[in-house]
Amino acid sequence: MLYALFDRDRRIGEPASTELGAWENALRAGLVSDIPVADEQGGQVLPPGLRVRRVDKNSPSQPE
């Protein structure tokens, strides 16, 4: 299973084998300035529109 960073419905990050790996890829690529952490209620604090979700291993290797 692979994960990648999306801005709304457009993939902007390279895939990784874990959600954390997807955030780390985005951090190294300069797409985010920090890896999100949980807020006081236990939910993630994410920049607006950004999320990590599963991707198919056959999806294009370059974000569109």
Side-chain angles (χ1 to χ4, degrees):
M1 191 174 315
L2 296 174
Y3 298 87
L5 181 66
F6 284 77
D7 183 358
R8 292 166 184 76
D9 290 329
R10 188 179 69 121
R11 193 182 95 193
I12 60 171
E14 290 298 319
S17 60
T18 65
E19 290 185 49
L20 178 58
W23 283 112
E24 290 170 340
N25 286 348
L27 185 62
R28 281 191 292 277
L31 299 172
V32 295
S33 59
D34 202 0
I35 295 175
V37 296
D39 65 11
E40 291 178 4
Q41 289 76 34
Q44 284 189 335
V45 178
L46 302 174
L50 295 184
R51 65 187 176 131
V52 169
R53 69 180 200 205
R54 283 190 273 179
V55 294
D56 186 319
K57 68 178 183 174
N58 297 323
S59 65
S61 61
Q62 292 295 321
E64 296 178 5

